[in-house]
Amino acid sequence: TWFDGMPEDDYLTEYIVSGFGHMRKLGVEFQKESLTDKMLSKGIYYLDKEMQNEFNWLIKDNADLSLDHLSSFVINYLYARSFLNFLRNGR
């Protein structure tokens, strides 16, 4: 969670990870092992896990994977991840 006593929040996590990713794309560097770097890593781990759960749910439900299953969570996840993939590819 982002605040003590509050539940997990996919939307807030996507928003924060997107913001950090956008900052990195603009050239802001976070020191390795800094609080910001750790928050970003934990946020990415959480979102990746939730995306895997979303996919597993589709498989369990025998969903037709040829159809569009793009929820707002999936779209925002891909947006957030696009900043991090951008950096990984060295562009």
Side-chain angles (χ1 to χ4, degrees):
T1 65
W2 292 100
F3 304 103
D4 289 337
M6 299 296 292
E8 295 175 344
D9 189 324
D10 297 345
Y11 175 78
L12 185 57
T13 302
E14 288 175 328
Y15 186 77
I16 291 170
V17 168
S18 294
F20 285 152
H22 194 199
M23 289 170 58
R24 287 177 63 187
K25 181 181 176 193
L26 292 173
V28 175
E29 293 293 327
F30 304 125
Q31 284 187 327
K32 199 167 188 84
E33 298 300 316
S34 67
L35 179 60
T36 305
D37 186 56
K38 289 176 184 178
M39 286 190 314
L40 181 57
S41 294
K42 287 180 180 181
I44 293 166
Y45 176 80
Y46 171 77
L47 292 175
D48 287 347
K49 184 180 65 145
E50 291 301 305
M51 182 56 60
Q52 184 65 53
N53 290 340
E54 182 106 354
F55 180 74
N56 291 343
W57 179 82
L58 289 172
I59 297 299
K60 181 181 174 189
D61 199 38
N62 293 318
D64 182 352
L65 298 181
S66 68
L67 299 177
D68 179 358
H69 296 282
L70 292 175
S71 65
S72 60
F73 170 73
V74 172
I75 292 168
N76 288 325
Y77 169 82
L78 294 171
Y79 175 74
R81 266 315 214 153
S82 71
F83 291 115
L84 304 164
N85 292 335
F86 170 86
L87 293 168
R88 187 177 305 122
N89 294 331
R91 295 184 194 157

